[in-house]
C-alpha cells in the first residue's frame, strides 16, 4: 500500500512541475523585433545629381594668324576663373556633365604683326557638355574620363590697337580626365583637366584695312575644387 501511495505522489508531483513549466514559458515576453536605434545613421543611395565648384586655370595655345599677312601670329593671356559644373548620373558609371564658367583673353600680335601690341580684349563664355565614364571599384577614389562638345560665345569685345575687332562664336570639342576623392557620402575633393579644341574666326580692322583671321586658342582647363553629391 505504501508503494502505491508513493507512486501516486510522484505522479502528482511530476504533473504539477510540468504545469508550472508551461505557465512560465507562456509568461515570457515575446522577443522584440530589431529596430534601428535613435541616432544610428542609415545608408541611403545617392541621388543622380552632383555639383562641383572649382578654381580653374585657363592656359591657351598661343597660335593663330591674320589672313593675307605672311608671318603673322597671335597670343592670348592665360587666366584664373571660378567654374561650376552640374552632373547627372544615368548609372553608377555613366554621367553627363555641364560645365559653366566665363573668363577673358587679351589678344596680342606676334610675328609680322607684333608691332600692333594689344589688338583687343574679349570675354568668352564656353559652356561644355561631356559624357563621362566613372570607375567605381576603387573605393573613395573615383577617377573618370570624358568627351564632349563646346560652344563658345564671345562678348564684351573691345579693340585695342585695332580699330575694330569681332571674334565669332564657335563650336569646339572637348576631352576630359579627372577624379573625385569622396570623404563621405556627400562631400569630396576634385581635380580635373580638360582640353578644348577651339579655333574661332575673327574680323579685324587695322588702320582702315579690313582683315580676317583665325584664333587657335585650344586651351587647357586645369581645375581643382570641391564635389557635392545630393
Amino acid at each position: 500500500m505504501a508503494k502505491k501511495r508513493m507512486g501516486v505522489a510522484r505522479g502528482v508531483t511530476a504533473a504539477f512541475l510540468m504545469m508550472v513549466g508551461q505557465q512560465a514559458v507562456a509568461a515570457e515576453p515575446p522577443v522584440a523585433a530589431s529596430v534601428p536605434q535613435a541616432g544610428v545613421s542609415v545608408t541611403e543611395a545617392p541621388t543622380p545629381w552632383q555639383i562641383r565648384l572649382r578654381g580653374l586655370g585657363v592656359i591657351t595655345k598661343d597660335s593663330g594668324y591674320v589672313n593675307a599677312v605672311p608671318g603673322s601670329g597671335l597670343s592670348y593671356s592665360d587666366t584664373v576663373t571660378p567654374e561650376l559644373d552640374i552632373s547627372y548620373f544615368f548609372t553608377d558609371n555613366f554621367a553627363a556633365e555641364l560645365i559653366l564658367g566665363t573668363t577673358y583673353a587679351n589678344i596680342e600680335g606676334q610675328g609680322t604683326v607684333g608691332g600692333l601690341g594689344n589688338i583687343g580684349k574679349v570675354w568668352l563664355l564656353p559652356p561644355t557638355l561631356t559624357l563621362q565614364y566613372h570607375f567605381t571599384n576603387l573605393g573613395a577614389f573615383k577617377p573618370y574620363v570624358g568627351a564632349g562638345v563646346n560652344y563658345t560665345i564671345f562678348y564684351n569685345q573691345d579693340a585695342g590697337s585695332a580699330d575694330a575687332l569681332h571674334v565669332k562664336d564657335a563650336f569646339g570639342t572637348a576631352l576630359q580626365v579627372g577624379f573625385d576623392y569622396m570623404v563621405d557620402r556627400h562631400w569630396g575633393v576634385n581635380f580635373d583637366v580638360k582640353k578644348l579644341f577651339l579655333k574661332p574666326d575673327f574680323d579685324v580692322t587695322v588702320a582702315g584695312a579690313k582683315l580676317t583671321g583665325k584664333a587657335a586658342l585650344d586651351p587647357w582647363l586645369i581645375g581643382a575644387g570641391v564635389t557635392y553629391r545630393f
Side-chain angles (χ1 to χ4, degrees), residues 204-217:
V204 63
T205 302
V206 179
K210 295 183 179 180
L211 303 168
T212 61
K214 187 174 289 291
L217 297 167

Side-chain angles (χ1 to χ4, degrees), residues 56-63 73-81 102-110 117-124 154 158 165 198 215-221:
L56 189 70
V58 182
I59 303 172
T60 56
K61 184 180 178 180
D62 288 344
S63 182
L74 300 171
S75 68
Y76 321 95
S77 57
D78 300 331
T79 58
V80 176
T81 187
T102 188
T103 188
Y104 66 88
N106 284 304
I107 304 171
E108 305 285 335
Q110 298 290 320
N118 180 261
I119 297 172
K121 177 181 178 180
V122 298
W123 281 83
L124 53 151
F154 296 90
D158 298 318
L165 174 67
L198 180 63
L217 297 167
D218 291 345
W220 287 95
L221 309 180

Side-chain angles (χ1 to χ4, degrees), residues 112 135 137 206 215:
T112 55
F135 300 88
N137 57 347
V206 179

Side-chain angles (χ1 to χ4, degrees), residues 25-108:
V25 171
E28 291 181 0
V31 177
S34 178
V35 296
Q37 298 179 359
V40 176
S41 62
V42 178
T43 302
E44 301 175 4
T47 75
W49 293 99
Q50 178 176 279
I51 61 172
R52 298 187 186 94
L53 181 63
R54 302 186 184 103
L56 189 70
V58 182
I59 303 172
T60 56
K61 184 180 178 180
D62 288 344
S63 182
Y65 53 86
V66 179
N67 293 325
V69 182
S72 60
L74 300 171
S75 68
Y76 321 95
S77 57
D78 300 331
T79 58
V80 176
T81 187
E83 180 197 75
L84 172 69
D85 75 61
I86 304 168
S87 299
Y88 184 86
F89 283 77
F90 303 103
T91 69
D92 289 341
N93 298 106
F94 289 98
E97 180 183 81
L98 178 62
I99 303 156
L100 301 171
T102 188
T103 188
Y104 66 88
N106 284 304
I107 304 171
E108 305 285 335

